[in-house]
Amino acid sequence: MAEKTEDETVTGTTAATAVEPDAQTAERPEEAAAGPEDTAAEEHAEPAGAPSAAGQGAAAVVSVALGLVSLTGGWPGTVAAARETLVGQLRTAADASVATQIKEVYGDAWNTTALWGGLFALVALITGVVVLVRPAFGAPGRTVQAPWTRSVAWAGVTLGVIGLLLAVLTYTGVLLGLPAAS
């Protein structure tokens, strides 16, 4: 049979409530015992100051984006190449040989584009490698990384290597070198 208890309300009046004799009650909600759900959440919570998996995933995506920029070209490389073209035009005399004009006007711009592509590729490569090796330097027992994070980081490393290789080959003239002046 339920017992009746009286509780005071905010207004100062009392209200009767029914309480089952076998029911567990706590004086305050914060004094309630933690259930199995609460302890499981505490075990899987990241410690304070630990990098989140979201940060590693974001870095992996940034690595892929930088790798793509290294292959397709980016705004800084385009602006730098246009600047080199203008500088080459200003420095080249009207009576300069065709070979000199090609080198000064187009060659330096071509090399500048390759340098910027190589820079983006190098940053993509480094970022991807950092994401891949990060678990080795983390807290003991927390070396597991989401599979998609590792896959995306590997894609960033691969794009970085390809972009760096293409930038070096372009800069050295092995790939798509400047035409020879006759």
Side-chain angles (χ1 to χ4, degrees):
M1 181 162 171
E3 297 179 16
K4 288 193 173 187
T5 62
E6 291 184 1
D7 293 334
E8 281 194 39
T9 63
V10 177
T11 61
T13 59
T14 58
T17 57
V19 177
E20 294 295 325
D22 294 336
Q24 287 183 340
T25 59
E27 295 292 322
R28 294 185 197 123
E30 56 269 6
E31 291 177 2
E37 299 85 20
D38 295 335
T39 56
E42 289 174 4
E43 288 174 4
H44 294 295
E46 292 185 13
S52 68
Q56 291 181 26
V61 171
V62 166
S63 174
V64 169
L66 290 171
L68 288 173
V69 168
S70 76
L71 295 175
T72 60
W75 180 79
T78 303
V79 170
R83 182 183 184 284
E84 283 299 318
T85 299
L86 180 61
V87 169
Q89 289 172 349
L90 293 173
R91 288 188 181 164
T92 305
D95 59 350
S97 69
V98 174
T100 303
Q101 288 179 1
I102 289 174
K103 183 197 173 301
E104 290 297 323
V105 176
Y106 300 108
D108 291 344
W110 189 251
N111 289 340
T112 300
T113 302
L115 283 173
W116 276 97
L119 179 68
F120 278 108
L122 185 63
V123 173
L125 178 64
I126 291 170
T127 305
V129 168
V130 166
V131 170
L132 290 172
V133 301
R134 173 64 183 97
F137 298 103
R142 289 206 31 101
T143 58
V144 179
Q145 213 172 28
W148 73 268
T149 301
R150 294 186 59 78
S151 297
V152 173
W154 274 113
V157 167
T158 303
L159 289 172
V161 167
I162 292 169
L164 198 56
L165 179 65
L166 290 175
V168 168
L169 292 175
T170 302
Y171 187 82
T172 59
V174 173
L175 179 68
L176 300 171
L178 290 174
S182 349

